[in-house]
Amino acid sequence: MEVSWQPGMKMDVNAPMCPSRGVLEHVTSRWGVLILIALRERSYRFSELRRHVGGVSEKMLAQTLQTLERDGFVLRDAQPVIPPRVDYSLTELGEEAAAQVEALGRWTERRTEQVLKNRERYDEARP
Amino acid sequence: MEVSWQPGMKMDVNAPMCPSRGVLEHVTSRWGVLILIALRERSYRFSELRRHVGGVSEKMLAQTLQTLERDGFVLRDAQPVIPPRVDYSLTELGEEAAAQVEALGRWTERRTEQVLKNRERYDEARP
DNA sequence: GGAAGTACCCACTTTGAAGTAAGGTACTGG
DNA sequence: CCAGTACCTTACTTCAAAGTGGGTACTTCC
């Protein structure tokens, strides 16, 4: 196991200090997943996105969009008009990530009913 | 947006109260991802897994394995021998999830170098 | 004239995820 | 006989993620 990451070192999510861990945590973050999935369908404005992704606070939406933008997954297009208009869309890199994340999200929706049954069985097997 | 989830309702990760959210959070959790990826390759014993997944504490490993087992992703096989021997493997459902998660993990490893560059560009563009 | 929409930022507080440390049992190897 | 391995559990602590509530600056709608 590597103690620190050096340039040119092979990326390995199992290494505690590997930067790939951070990247993975960004794309699999609570709101990151939902935002990526939403933006795959089309570009969204801030408040539109907030209404689409149920339950996000403004703060978390802004914050998550920023980290996704910094990583190069999301493109932020702010028009200098009044009222402010900012459009968010996926970059090519973001589209690649979002495709995988959406697959996982859709799979989860399909299998959740089964998981719920599994939990019941598990719980009644031990009081 | 639905306020509460009722049986027979369509699963939707965008609905705040939909149980699919919780399931998605389990498979995309910090240690959940790494454990699923590891178990895809072969079955592991507890301490083996702990050594393989760099940086997990015993507590988090035990806890995460339990929630994955409860959801029906992981199979726990405890042999009543001394010293204790417990093998963890994927169920069919877990294998489906793990396959997607591994794809995402491998993709992240491949693209992390690019993301690191993106972050540099982003940071130097604003002081 | 007041309310609501737009896209945020900031400070503060709360929550819950995670880390640390210790305990427990039944052995084996030195 | 003490250390170590194996597989956890429990209690305590820490710290980052997330929620809350406020402010901004300007416009359109009623």
Side-chain angles (χ1 to χ4, degrees):
Chain A
M1 217 62 64
E2 304 304 338
V3 174
S4 76
W5 183 84
Q6 314 288 350
M9 195 180 276
K10 198 149 191 293
M11 294 294 173
D12 178 9
V13 291
N14 285 317
M17 291 298 150
C18 182
S20 61
R21 282 239 177 132
V23 178
L24 191 56
E25 276 163 29
H26 285 175
V27 320
T28 60
S29 71
R30 182 169 183 192
W31 301 116
V33 219
L34 301 177
I35 291 171
L36 287 172
I37 293 177
L39 290 181
R40 243 211 124 193
E41 139 197 5
R42 63 177 178 90
S43 83
Y44 273 88
R45 300 183 57 183
F46 186 86
S47 297
E48 248 182 351
L49 200 49
R50 174 149 156 65
R51 283 185 292 267
H52 184 84
V53 176
V56 226
S57 64
E58 291 198 348
K59 185 190 127 186
M60 286 314 297
L61 184 56
Q63 199 176 99
T64 309
L65 281 168
Q66 270 180 32
T67 77
L68 292 178
E69 192 201 352
R70 188 167 105 101
D71 284 359
F73 295 134
V74 160
L75 202 80
R76 181 176 187 271
D77 176 26
Q79 281 113 291
V81 295
I82 281 162
R85 181 185 176 100
V86 183
D87 286 289
Y88 291 95
S89 55
L90 292 176
T91 62
E92 254 187 67
L93 193 69
E95 164 62 27
E96 285 181 25
Q100 316 230 26
V101 166
E102 183 174 12
L104 191 59
R106 300 298 167 221
W107 178 88
T108 303
E109 288 176 341
R110 286 198 303 277
R111 298 303 192 174
T112 293
E113 210 114 35
Q114 179 62 52
V115 169
L116 260 30
K117 282 195 205 109
N118 293 340
R119 287 184 192 167
E120 273 180 52
R121 277 201 296 115
Y122 183 95
D123 290 343
E124 67 194 28
R126 52 217 99 191
Chain B
M1 216 62 65
E2 305 303 338
V3 173
S4 75
W5 183 83
Q6 314 288 349
M9 195 180 278
K10 196 150 190 293
M11 294 294 173
D12 178 7
V13 290
N14 284 317
M17 291 299 151
C18 182
S20 61
R21 282 241 178 133
V23 178
L24 192 55
E25 276 163 30
H26 285 174
V27 320
T28 61
S29 71
R30 181 168 184 192
W31 302 115
V33 202
L34 301 177
I35 291 170
L36 288 172
I37 293 177
L39 290 180
R40 241 213 125 192
E41 140 197 6
R42 63 178 178 89
S43 83
Y44 273 88
R45 301 182 56 180
F46 185 86
S47 298
E48 244 181 355
L49 198 50
R50 175 149 155 65
R51 282 185 293 267
H52 183 86
V53 176
V56 227
S57 64
E58 291 198 347
K59 185 191 123 185
M60 286 314 297
L61 184 56
Q63 199 176 99
T64 309
L65 282 168
Q66 270 179 33
T67 77
L68 292 178
E69 192 201 352
R70 188 166 106 101
D71 284 0
F73 296 134
V74 160
L75 202 80
R76 181 174 188 274
D77 176 27
Q79 281 113 294
V81 294
I82 280 160
R85 180 185 176 99
V86 184
D87 285 287
Y88 292 95
S89 55
L90 293 176
T91 62
E92 253 187 67
L93 194 69
E95 164 61 27
E96 284 181 25
Q100 317 230 27
V101 166
E102 183 175 12
L104 192 59
R106 300 297 168 221
W107 178 89
T108 302
E109 289 176 340
R110 285 197 304 278
R111 296 304 191 171
T112 293
E113 210 114 36
Q114 179 63 52
V115 170
L116 261 29
K117 283 195 204 109
N118 293 341
R119 287 184 192 167
E120 274 181 51
R121 277 201 297 116
Y122 183 94
D123 290 341
E124 68 195 29
R126 52 218 98 192

